[in-house]
């Protein structure tokens, strides 16, 4: 029998009209000379005025191709540079279920971004043939579908214009959502693609997003009270206006709800974005933003510039700062969910686990494994790796220490939660809380709003103050160092970035210093977003952590120089 796989691959020619339009529409967005762009961990990110418009134009082509590859599913494009300074911007592509662009396609995005305008028509034709044509999967004649949004940066409107220019050349059907947080755009994408599925994600509108979250929050609280108020630092980014919108849907303090004080919500002064505020500032400087006026023992949290990341903190009566980072949110959330599952009588039916990276504090990992008795997986840095690993559990809780993360419930977990017949009022209550969490948690991607409400729910159920939360385990002192080397790419990490495979010999030196340190652990990895190598070290005392970090940094410097002198 003649298999269809033996048939010759048809060749598709793209009409001249489309190829010419692709070249012409690109005219205002030339490829700058001598620049090389790369789709990295968080898409493309750079100074907004050095060719990013060319890159965004190219990303429009990627999104159109990707939509066709996925049978005209809706693809998302988000224009943001997250926690970077105001003059930067960036762009990333969102896949149909609201997750990150499939890794293999990062390469095509990189290829397109580095293409001269005159060649856009030809490369589109080539990629169409390479990626979309095979004997079983013919190129479709239906239109590609793309939805997009931007954060509040001043360069946003110009970049949106560049995006529309390539989408127009390719006759893409698109929706411009204007200004959104990154997770809201991910939500829209998933809503569009699950509209007619057995598990629709929700309504693809801003009101739909807010209503879904607010209703789930009310249900998950189950009449619990939240003590005191929560100060939310919005990094002077898109989170500010969007949080004000969400608050209109949430029950407020006088209504058994949540008392939120919003700070750093200035989106008028462009230079204020991420300046001395926001999740990145708080996590890296280990201090509250000067503007937050934190009151002792009151809950504070900070979002990043596009609201896909959150950390909590409080100050004590000595004005000492205490950080409750992604590791803390992961342990709180996993503990709460595992407890509810046990109370609901479905604990033994569900595989619940936590996913972390090597940056997770060793004390948190030990707490999850030994006290909570849950399995922990470690993956390389970057949301896409954690997200993927979390899918291996029925309920997978994943967080990076820096505050990126969410919880994924698979179909099995959802069926069990929705289908279990409660045997007591206690079981019914716990099942209803879990059911509400399925909607409260943005399962498309980590979402600062959703993570914030999840944290508030978990604290309220336990009647915990931030100190109670802090007291669950004691962090090991740790230190991060950034080392600049001639070529960071010679540092190749393996084992979820916990060990260096090259340069040869470097890991043995690191091991030597780690072995001399009480409760020592350290690793070095090339950054995915900056031209540097990052070193992390922890130990039983702050002095030892610092010493170990410096020793490992020295190893990195030495081996980095050695590799450069050999090449
Ligand atoms: C990006 C990643 C973040 C990661 C960080 C590491 C996403 C959406 N963002 O911001 O998860 O922690 O890169 O940066 O995946 P680094 O490689 O420079 O240390
Ligand atoms: Mg972000």
């Amino acid at each position: 029998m003649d298999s269809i796989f033996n048939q010759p691959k048809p060749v598709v020619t793209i009409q001249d009209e489309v190829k010419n339009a692709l070249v012409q529409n690109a005219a205002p967005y030339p490829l700058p000379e001598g620049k090389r762009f790369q789709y990295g961990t968080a898409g493309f990110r750079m100074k907004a005025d050095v060719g990013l418009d060319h890159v965004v134009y190219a990303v429009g082509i990627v999104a159109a191709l990707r939509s066709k590859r996925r049978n005209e599913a809706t693809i998302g494009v988000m224009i943001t540079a997250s926690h970077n300074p105001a003059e930067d911007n960036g762009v990333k592509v969102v896949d149909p279920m609201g997750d990150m662009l499939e890794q293999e396609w990062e390469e095509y995005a990189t290829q397109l971004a580095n293409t001269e305008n005159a060649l856009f028509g030809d490369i589109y034709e080539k990629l169409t043939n390479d990626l979309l044509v095979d004997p079983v999967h013919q190129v479709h004649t239906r239109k590609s579908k793309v939805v997009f949004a931007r954060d509040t940066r001043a360069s946003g409107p110009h970049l949106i214009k560049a995006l529309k220019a390539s989408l127009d050349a390719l006759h893409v059907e698109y929706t411009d959502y204007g200004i959104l947080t990154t997770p809201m755009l991910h939500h829209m994408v998933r809503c569009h693609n699950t509209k007619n599925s057995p598990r629709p994600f929700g309504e693809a509108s801003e009101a739909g997003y807010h209503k879904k979250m607010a209703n789930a929050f009310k249900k998950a609280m189950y009449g619990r009270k939240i003590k005191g108020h929560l100060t939310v630092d919005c990094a002077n980014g898109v989170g500010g206006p969007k949080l004000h919108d969400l608050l209109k849907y949430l029950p407020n303090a006088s209504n058994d709800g949540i008392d939120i004080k919003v700070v750093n919500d200035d989106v008028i002064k462009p230079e204020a974005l991420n300046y001395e505020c926001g999740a990145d500032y708080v996590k890296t400087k280990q201090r509250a933003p000067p503007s937050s006026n934190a009151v002792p023992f009151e809950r504070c949290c900070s979002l990043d510039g596009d609201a896909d990341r959150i950390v909590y903190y409080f100050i004590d009566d000595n004005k000492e700062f205490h950080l409750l980072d992604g590791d803390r949110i992961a342990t709180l959330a996993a503990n709460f969910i595992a407890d509810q599952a046990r109370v609901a009588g479905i604990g033994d039916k569900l595989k619940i686990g936590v996913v972390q990276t090597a940056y997770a504090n060793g004390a948190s990992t030990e707490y999850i494994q030994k006290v909570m008795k849950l399995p922990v997986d470690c993956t390389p840095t970057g949301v896409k790796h954690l997200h993927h690993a979390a899918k291996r559990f029925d309920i997978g809780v994943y967080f990076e220490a820096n505050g990126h993360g969410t919880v994924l419930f698979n179909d099995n977990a959802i069926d069990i939660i929705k289908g279990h017949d409660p045997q007591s009022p206690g079981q019914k209550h716990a099942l209803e809380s879990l059911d509400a969490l399925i909607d409260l948690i943005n399962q498309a991607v980590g979402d600062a709003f959703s993570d914030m409400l999840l944290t508030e729910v978990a604290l309220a159920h336990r009647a915990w103050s931030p100190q109670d939360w802090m007291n669950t385990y004691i962090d090991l002192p740790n230190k991060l160092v950034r080392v600049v080397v001639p070529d960071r790419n010679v540092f190749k990490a393996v084992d979820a970035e916990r060990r260096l495979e090259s340069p040869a010999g470097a890991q043995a030196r690191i091991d030597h210093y780690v072995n001399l340190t009480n409760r020592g652990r350290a690793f070095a990895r090339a950054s995915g977003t900056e031209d540097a190598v990052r070193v992390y070290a922890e130990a039983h005392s702050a002095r030892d952590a610092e010493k170990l970090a410096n020793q490992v940094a020295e190893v990195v410097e030495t081996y980095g120089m050695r590799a450069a002198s050999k090449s």
Side-chain angles (χ1 to χ4, degrees):
M1 204 178 66
D2 217 14
S3 153
I4 48 165
F5 293 103
N6 293 333
Q7 290 168 16
K9 187 172 160 167
V11 175
V12 168
T13 27
I14 302 293
Q15 293 164 330
D16 282 346
E17 175 247 318
V18 172
K19 286 169 80 176
N20 292 340
L22 265 180
V23 174
Q24 274 160 22
N25 287 10
Y29 319 111
L31 173 67
E33 230 166 276
K35 269 206 98 71
R36 170 96 199 141
F37 303 112
Q38 195 180 351
Y39 197 102
T41 334
F44 295 102
R45 203 179 282 184
M46 65 194 87
K47 293 262 162 297
D49 58 358
V50 287
L52 184 57
D53 50 4
H54 178 85
V55 172
V56 170
Y57 185 90
V59 166
I61 305 174
V62 177
L65 285 165
R66 184 75 186 143
S67 171
K68 282 213 187 294
R69 174 73 216 188
R70 300 296 303 268
N71 297 319
E72 289 82 27
T74 299
I75 297 295
V77 176
M78 183 70 202
I79 308 275
T80 178
S82 185
H83 64 268
N84 283 38
E87 60 277 14
D88 289 12
N89 215 330
V91 59
K92 54 187 164 189
V93 179
V94 180
D95 255 359
M97 287 306 275
D99 38 17
M100 307 281 169
L101 176 66
E102 188 181 292
Q103 210 163 341
E104 202 186 306
W105 276 63
E106 293 179 2
E107 177 50 37
Y108 311 130
T110 299
Q111 215 176 315
L112 273 157
N114 292 292
T115 297
E116 295 270 358
N117 284 0
L119 298 177
F120 271 139
D122 296 334
I123 191 163
Y124 178 67
E125 190 169 64
K126 181 181 180 311
L127 288 174
T128 299
N129 279 287
D130 288 355
L131 303 174
L132 305 183
V133 187
D134 61 54
V136 274
H137 182 167
Q138 292 290 334
V139 178
H140 298 260
T141 46
R142 284 178 294 167
K143 289 184 174 176
S144 297
K145 294 197 206 84
V146 173
V147 296
F148 52 85
R150 61 182 174 94
D151 68 15
T152 50
R153 281 161 210 266
S155 54
H158 172 70
L159 297 172
I160 290 289
K161 215 164 129 195
L163 177 66
K164 284 181 178 166
S166 60
L167 298 179
D168 283 336
L170 295 172
H171 303 295
V172 172
E173 210 177 282
Y174 60 70
T175 307
D176 179 356
Y177 275 102
I179 293 176
L180 290 183
T181 69
T182 295
M184 286 172 89
L185 195 260
H186 285 251
H187 165 95
M188 302 304 174
V189 172
R190 185 144 165 181
C191 288
H192 279 282
N193 293 311
T194 54
K195 222 172 13 206
N196 302 315
S197 81
R199 295 203 198 282
F201 198 60
E203 199 188 294
S205 68
E206 287 198 50
Y209 169 91
H210 292 310
K211 271 190 243 161
K212 177 180 173 184
M213 207 172 281
N215 289 340
F217 175 72
K218 277 181 246 168
K219 274 197 214 143
M221 285 298 288
Y222 220 90
R224 294 291 200 288
K225 300 265 185 303
I226 298 186
K227 269 190 266 152
H229 70 242
L230 169 67
T231 301
V232 187
D233 155 28
C234 296
N236 293 320
V238 60
K242 299 302 162 185
L243 179 57
H244 283 293
D245 290 344
L246 175 60
L247 290 181
K248 292 179 202 143
Y249 295 86
L250 285 172
N252 58 29
S254 55
N255 207 357
D256 265 3
I258 184 166
D259 185 4
I260 286 184
K261 183 173 148 220
V262 183
V263 296
N264 297 322
D265 56 348
D266 179 356
V267 290
I268 308 294
K269 265 203 306 305
E271 68 279 11
L273 175 67
N274 296 323
Y275 181 69
E276 294 203 330
C277 59
D280 203 59
Y281 173 91
V282 171
K283 172 77 182 158
T284 51
K285 300 259 191 266
Q286 303 267 325
R287 75 168 84 112
S291 49
S292 69
N293 292 324
V295 176
F297 302 114
E298 288 246 333
R299 300 183 314 285
C300 299
C301 64
S302 286
L303 324 180
D304 73 338
D306 63 339
D308 66 348
R309 202 177 135 181
I310 187 167
V311 292
Y312 266 69
Y313 46 94
F314 66 95
I315 55 158
D316 61 23
D317 39 11
N318 294 320
K319 294 252 181 242
E320 208 174 302
F321 171 84
H322 301 270
L323 180 66
L324 294 148
D325 63 3
D327 298 344
R328 297 280 180 175
I329 300 175
T331 50
L332 179 73
N335 214 341
F336 174 56
I337 291 170
D339 264 6
Q340 294 293 309
R342 265 191 296 272
V343 175
I346 54 174
D348 52 351
K349 292 192 188 151
L350 294 171
K351 197 164 169 239
I352 303 176
V354 179
V355 183
Q356 304 184 308
T357 70
Y359 288 108
N361 195 283
S364 75
T365 314
E366 200 177 290
Y367 176 74
I368 299 165
Q369 290 170 326
K370 297 206 173 136
V371 181
M372 291 163 55
K373 304 211 182 318
L374 293 177
V376 179
D377 251 11
C378 184
T379 73
T381 303
V383 169
K384 62 186 173 212
H385 300 296
L386 291 106
H387 192 91
H388 185 73
K391 285 184 184 167
R392 290 200 284 265
F393 297 105
D394 290 321
I395 302 179
V397 179
Y398 77 81
F399 274 89
E400 290 188 316
N402 64 18
H404 274 297
T406 191
V407 183
L408 303 183
F409 294 75
N410 71 6
D411 285 351
N412 183 44
I414 297 176
D415 288 342
I416 290 173
I417 292 167
K418 292 196 186 285
H420 188 75
D421 195 12
Q423 305 298 309
S424 67
Q427 282 201 356
K428 181 166 179 284
H429 172 175
L431 277 171
E432 284 174 6
S433 301
L434 285 170
D435 194 18
L437 293 187
I438 296 171
D439 280 345
L440 178 65
I441 297 167
N442 186 342
Q443 294 181 51
V445 76
D447 181 333
F449 295 161
S450 149
D451 291 341
M452 174 184 89
L453 295 178
L454 168 64
T455 303
E456 293 295 304
V457 166
L459 290 175
H461 271 255
R462 297 235 184 286
W464 272 2
S465 69
Q467 296 117 284
D468 297 327
W469 180 13
M470 195 74 189
N471 288 340
T472 46
Y473 62 86
I474 298 165
D475 269 327
L476 282 168
N478 56 85
K479 175 88 186 160
L480 268 166
V481 182
R482 183 177 175 275
V483 189
V484 177
V485 291
D487 179 10
R488 70 179 148 145
N489 295 316
V490 303
F491 290 86
K492 295 210 173 13
V494 290
D495 186 21
E497 301 182 330
R498 287 172 291 194
R499 300 187 65 77
L500 280 177
E501 185 182 59
S502 79
Q507 187 60 47
R509 293 303 302 155
I510 297 175
D511 288 344
H512 167 76
Y513 291 121
V514 168
N515 290 336
L516 293 176
T517 310
N518 188 357
R519 294 201 73 186
R521 183 172 73 90
F523 64 90
R525 58 172 278 276
S527 157
T529 63
E530 284 180 53
D531 203 4
V533 172
R534 300 203 197 281
V535 168
Y536 173 91
E538 64 185 29
H540 87 296
S541 75
R543 243 181 79 199
D544 282 4
E546 174 139 9
K547 185 171 159 204
L548 181 58
N550 291 336
Q551 286 166 329
V552 176
E554 213 179 297
V555 172
V556 169
E557 259 165 35
T558 312
Y559 279 80
M561 293 303 285
R562 226 179 259 175
S565 64
K566 275 193 210 146
S567 63

